[in-house]
Amino acid sequence: MKLTDFYYDLPQELIAQDPLEKRSDSRLMVIGRESGTIQHQHFYDIVDYINPGDCLVINDTKVIPARLMGVKEETGASIEVLLLKRREEKVWETLVKPGKKARVGAKISFGDGLLVGEVIDIVEEGNRLIRFEYEGIWEELLDQLGQMPLPPYITHQLKDRNRYQTVYAKHDGSAAAPTAGLHFTNELLQQLEEKGVEIAHVTLHVGLGTFRPVKVDNILDHHMHSEFYVVEEEEAAKINAAKARGNQIISVGTTSTRTLESVADENGIVRAGSGWTDIFIYPGYTFKVVDSLITNFHLPESTLLMLVSAFSSREKMLHAYEVAVEERYRFFSFGDAMFIRKES
């Protein structure tokens, strides 16, 4: 399977640079998973497509202000550090720009010395392990010095950093938002609960894979980076009970989907637990848990586009993207949404 099989042409002006004033006002393309039929709605219409007893699975990870701007102590050169994965209490795996200035032993100062990091190792794909030294509480310091790690295709300044969080974000740890969830408001979630929809929480901390493009021609040669997940017993029980009743499991985003498919056994039973997953889902994969999927529009040739192509079909997805371009949908993190729904 070739990387170019997942290419589509996207006009730059369709990349959403800012979130809408109201989250749920975004457009919603509703696609039949089997038939490929397309309807054009708004996200607040999602309530009409989800039935009492269905289980909506959301990823409650919280994005940390993971982008730090610092200077190299010896030379004063500017260095940007993106926190990716906590390895120990004060040690993080990071993405550093420019990497050539961050050799082992280099010290980087942030906030006029409020935070100092030392590069202690160079690991996979040139990532740096940095040990940080500071006084006070790490989370407060990060909130003071860090910036939200917006994807490189967003060039506008984010006025309100909460708009790059879901309304249900709870557990600190992500370097990027689970963007399908950005469309939900508390009111919309309340409407769903009042309708009798079960809402289950999982946690997957979104990491390096979000920032790494696929660089190999044969997608089977692509290496996925591992991300940390948690599924609590109570949440697994909700999902399994809905499945046993014959109700739908509706996954919000590719992150929730990857979590569910990582922890399910061959019969589709979700097992509680925590750990690391590097699951790579592409066409040919048989889904064990998820029946319907709420997702955003993804980058060409990305692993996320491969996942949604596996969920329906590559041909149906590329056609849907073609329609989205014609209809001037907004793309990527702050863009519109797609609901790939089970029809039977």
Side-chain angles (χ1 to χ4, degrees):
M1 207 171 299
K2 296 292 184 187
L3 181 60
T4 50
D5 292 340
F6 299 91
Y7 178 79
Y8 68 91
D9 194 34
L10 178 68
Q12 285 289 112
E13 68 269 17
L14 295 185
I15 299 174
Q17 292 295 325
D18 303 288
L20 295 181
E21 189 173 335
K22 188 172 182 186
R23 293 171 183 261
S24 60
D25 280 353
S26 54
R27 293 168 75 187
L28 179 69
M29 180 183 282
V30 181
I31 302 172
R33 182 179 176 185
E34 295 82 16
S35 67
T37 56
I38 293 174
Q39 297 172 279
H40 303 291
Q41 305 286 4
H42 285 90
F43 196 80
Y44 48 72
D45 296 315
I46 196 80
V47 177
D48 300 331
Y49 292 92
I50 302 177
N51 298 316
D54 287 347
C55 185
L56 187 77
V57 183
I58 58 179
N59 180 9
D60 61 10
T61 187
K62 191 173 186 179
V63 185
I64 60 173
R67 179 168 278 129
L68 293 162
M69 310 305 294
V71 294
K72 191 173 177 182
E73 285 195 345
E74 301 145 0
T75 63
S78 295
I79 292 187
E80 178 183 325
V81 173
L82 181 65
L83 304 175
L84 295 172
K85 189 186 296 182
R86 197 174 206 158
R87 293 289 196 91
E88 298 171 26
E89 180 63 27
K90 292 187 174 184
V91 177
W92 284 77
E93 182 177 339
T94 68
L95 189 61
V96 178
K97 294 183 195 173
K100 62 186 178 187
K101 292 181 180 175
R103 296 194 176 98
V104 173
K107 290 193 174 182
I108 307 165
S109 175
F110 307 91
D112 293 326
L114 283 175
L115 178 65
V116 176
E118 181 181 353
V119 179
I120 59 172
D121 199 2
I122 299 174
V123 293
E124 189 181 12
E125 296 195 21
N127 292 346
R128 267 60 176 173
L129 290 189
I130 296 181
R131 180 185 290 115
F132 291 98
E133 296 300 333
Y134 53 89
E135 292 182 6
I137 299 170
W138 168 256
E139 287 77 14
E140 291 179 0
L141 198 60
L142 200 58
D143 203 49
Q144 179 185 343
L145 299 177
Q147 301 171 16
M148 291 306 257
L150 294 180
Y153 50 75
I154 294 177
T155 57
H156 290 191
Q157 192 75 29
L158 183 63
K159 294 184 179 74
D160 177 5
R161 65 167 60 179
N162 285 326
R163 293 307 308 274
Y164 196 58
Q165 301 279 20
T166 61
V167 296
Y168 45 77
K170 185 177 181 182
H171 301 290
D172 284 342
S174 274
T179 55
L182 295 179
H183 306 280
F184 283 96
T185 61
N186 287 315
E187 294 77 17
L188 201 53
L189 291 167
Q190 188 178 338
Q191 276 182 266
L192 287 165
E193 287 189 308
E194 286 172 356
K195 190 176 180 179
V197 174
E198 192 82 71
I199 297 177
H201 294 237
V202 298
T203 306
L204 181 88
H205 293 318
V206 189
L208 183 62
T210 300
F211 298 93
R212 293 285 195 205
V214 179
K215 294 180 179 177
V216 290
D217 291 331
N218 182 347
I219 69 165
L220 303 185
D221 295 332
H222 177 66
H223 168 63
M224 291 286 284
H225 289 266
S226 60
E227 296 169 314
F228 186 73
Y229 69 83
V230 180
V231 180
E232 302 288 356
E233 289 280 0
E234 185 181 344
E235 307 306 311
K238 288 180 189 176
I239 298 162
N240 292 331
K243 200 82 174 167
R245 289 193 302 268
N247 286 101
Q248 281 195 85
I249 307 302
I250 301 157
S251 181
V252 179
T254 57
T255 60
S256 299
T257 301
R258 291 179 66 242
T259 304
L260 292 175
E261 295 297 320
S262 295
V263 300
D265 65 17
E266 61 276 7
N267 299 313
I269 304 300
V270 172
R271 298 163 298 190
S274 63
W276 297 87
T277 179
D278 60 357
I279 189 172
F280 181 18
I281 297 176
Y282 51 84
Y285 179 85
T286 301
F287 286 81
K288 297 173 286 190
V289 186
V290 180
D291 299 303
S292 296
L293 170 63
I294 297 168
T295 188
N296 276 19
F297 291 90
H298 304 294
L299 275 75
E301 301 183 335
S302 64
T303 59
L304 307 180
L305 182 53
M306 293 169 197
L307 184 152
V308 297
S309 296
F311 193 71
S312 177
S313 79
R314 186 181 70 89
E315 294 74 20
K316 290 186 185 76
M317 284 301 101
L318 289 178
H319 173 65
Y321 273 59
E322 198 175 285
V323 171
V325 170
E326 288 170 5
E327 297 289 332
R328 311 294 288 175
Y329 273 68
R330 300 164 75 247
F331 279 67
F332 306 159
S333 296
F334 289 140
D336 295 316
M338 174 187 283
F339 181 34
I340 310 170
R341 63 189 287 258
K342 180 182 177 184
E343 294 160 289
S344 50

